[in-house]
Amino acid sequence: MAIQLGDIAPDFSAESTEGTIRFHDWIGDKWAVLFSHPKDFTPVCTTELGMVARIKSEFDKRNTKVLAVSVDDVPSHKGWIGDIEETQSTRMNFPILADPDRKVSNLYGMIHPNANDTLTVRSVFFIDPRKKVRAMITYPASTGRNFDEILRVIDSLQLTDHHQVATPANWKNGEDCVIVPSLQDPEELKKKFPKGYKALRPYLRMTPQPNR
Ligand code: BEZ
């Protein structure tokens, strides 16, 4: 069955460019982003891995580990890393999982046969420290991902885990949030949102981001 939000992320053990990865142990008490690439030595994937390497410190700030997966083997990945570093002006600083037998790709439903029956699509799984799948994004091979959006999703998940807010359309870290409709008690509202809020409608209440 397809993975759904709230499911425990399937665990696995697989080889990577940084040795064997036992996925749940590797995540430890951090957040994780697992993202698939159709194939080594392909142009869009090369730019994506270079981008993630360049902004890795942004993932670190968010207590989040990143793990790429591609259906080729470790020697192929290692050869490709040379190209990524040279063409994308970066040093690789996170592991690429080898998946020549499609074990991980199949476990996570990353192969969509009507798109391509042997290569993965561009899947992204956001996994929390309890190993729950908290968000998923899927793009076709022809569309490179926007990693600012991936950081934005992590920001939203981490914020809304700790405050009774949700993040509106195109929200970015630091911008106003909406108060969850279930919170109605006036005393609680005062306590949780000391900076106040603006009710545009009874169900649409905007408040400054509570942890800022
Ligand atoms: C790419 O990464 O450039 C790519 C991979 C598979 C199909 C099309 C493009």
Side-chain angles (χ1 to χ4, degrees):
M1 207 178 84
I3 295 174
Q4 298 187 323
L5 300 189
D7 289 353
I8 296 294
D11 199 11
F12 58 80
S13 177
E15 293 310 306
S16 85
T17 50
E18 297 184 8
T20 307
I21 289 187
R22 286 178 188 79
F23 191 47
H24 283 196
D25 292 347
W26 178 84
I27 296 173
D29 59 359
K30 298 193 183 289
W31 287 69
V33 170
L34 174 68
F35 61 120
S36 58
H37 293 272
K39 188 126 193 72
D40 291 2
F41 300 101
T42 52
V44 177
C45 298
T46 302
T47 63
E48 288 190 321
L49 288 181
M51 173 59 72
V52 174
R54 286 200 302 276
I55 63 167
K56 167 80 166 24
S57 61
E58 292 299 320
F59 288 96
D60 294 340
K61 271 188 218 161
R62 292 162 174 81
N63 201 29
T64 300
K65 296 177 89 170
V66 283
L67 178 58
V69 52
S70 173
V71 297
D72 296 300
D73 59 18
V74 168
S76 166
H77 291 346
K78 287 193 170 161
W80 184 30
I81 283 173
D83 285 1
I84 294 167
E85 294 186 338
E86 222 175 293
T87 63
Q88 305 302 306
S89 312
T90 190
R91 304 292 299 173
M92 274 301 280
N93 46 18
F94 62 91
I96 311 174
L97 212 60
D99 196 30
D101 57 3
R102 277 62 169 172
K103 183 177 75 179
V104 175
S105 305
N106 285 325
L107 201 54
Y108 278 80
M110 291 165 166
I111 294 179
H112 295 201
N114 289 329
N116 186 304
D117 53 12
T118 52
L119 307 181
T120 65
V121 292
R122 297 186 195 281
S123 300
V124 187
F125 290 87
F126 299 79
I127 298 162
D128 74 14
R130 290 173 306 158
K131 320 296 182 283
K132 281 198 176 168
V133 175
R134 299 293 303 279
M136 297 180 278
I137 300 178
T138 308
Y139 289 173
S142 52
T143 304
R145 285 158 285 202
N146 182 331
F147 289 90
D148 289 338
E149 170 62 3
I150 287 168
L151 293 171
R152 193 189 78 91
V153 172
I154 298 169
D155 287 338
S156 174
L157 292 169
Q158 294 183 346
L159 174 72
T160 59
D161 269 3
H162 291 105
H163 299 275
Q164 282 181 286
V165 292
T167 57
N170 286 17
W171 171 87
K172 287 201 221 63
N173 205 7
E175 294 180 354
D176 288 357
C177 304
V178 299
I179 298 175
V180 294
S182 58
L183 185 57
Q184 290 295 335
D185 179 61
E187 285 311 309
E188 283 283 288
L189 281 161
K190 247 190 256 164
K191 211 162 41 180
K192 293 197 162 140
F193 303 104
K195 294 181 204 145
Y197 62 90
K198 193 169 167 188
L200 303 174
R201 288 289 183 278
Y203 62 85
L204 175 53
R205 299 166 299 174
M206 305 300 299
T207 188
Q209 185 170 316
N211 62 352
R212 286 287 175 117

